[in-house]
Amino acid sequence: AGGASTDELIFTVDAPAPVVTGFSPVSGYVGDEVTVSGANFLADGTPVVKIDGRTASVKVGSTPTDDSITVTVPSGATSGYVSVTTGAGTGYSSAVFTVLLPAPTISGIDPTSGAVGASVAVSGTHLVDVYAVAFNGTPASFTYDAVADTISATVPAGATSP
């Protein structure tokens, strides 16, 4: 009576959740590498890194450590917080990673000549984010057609040929 028990009881300490303390660089294009810094990245399973909710793959040839993971900015990524998730939970960055947009390129114009007031179709890539169109330096009004992925610009008064 009153003696100590000799039965072993098992107590399991949960792994700590990941903590994201930063990332470098602070901005980049799709396909660029980003190194995420923090703690507990390997404490409970394989870490999953996301940029604004999009899963980023671990850089080929790199090995994640408990405090650093190098990933590639995924296709379709947009600017947002960086997160690291393991079986112990999810840690988020306090800063936003900025996904840079590629510069637009022009592959053609149709027609190639016209009078003031004429409509000109501009084709190319990355046109959706264009914010200004000019004819030889003279600003023009324009609209973006998402279906055709083209810009329709109106030749402005004062426009000249190069």
Side-chain angles (χ1 to χ4, degrees), residues 85-153:
T85 302
T86 67
T90 302
Y92 294 90
S93 63
S94 60
V96 169
F97 177 80
T98 302
V99 177
L100 302 173
L101 301 173
T105 59
I106 297 173
S107 59
I109 56 172
D110 185 35
T112 58
S113 66
V116 168
S119 181
V120 178
V122 180
S123 56
T125 60
H126 310 294
L127 300 177
V128 66
D129 294 309
V130 168
Y131 59 88
V133 173
F135 287 80
N136 202 28
T138 303
S141 62
F142 70 97
T143 58
Y144 173 73
D145 181 342
V147 174
D149 194 28
T150 59
I151 288 176
S152 178

Side-chain angles (χ1 to χ4, degrees), residues 39-113:
N40 310 321
F41 292 167
L42 302 179
D44 190 9
T46 303
V48 175
V49 178
K50 293 184 178 183
I51 298 173
D52 198 36
R54 289 258 184 195
T55 301
S57 59
V58 173
K59 176 189 165 203
V60 174
S62 71
T63 302
T65 65
D66 201 44
D67 61 2
S68 179
I69 302 173
T70 300
V71 297
T72 303
V73 178
S75 178
T78 55
S79 298
Y81 294 98
V82 176
S83 66
V84 177
T85 302
T86 67
T90 302
Y92 294 90
S93 63
S94 60
V96 169
F97 177 80
T98 302
V99 177
L100 302 173
L101 301 173
T105 59
I106 297 173
S107 59
I109 56 172
D110 185 35
T112 58
S113 66

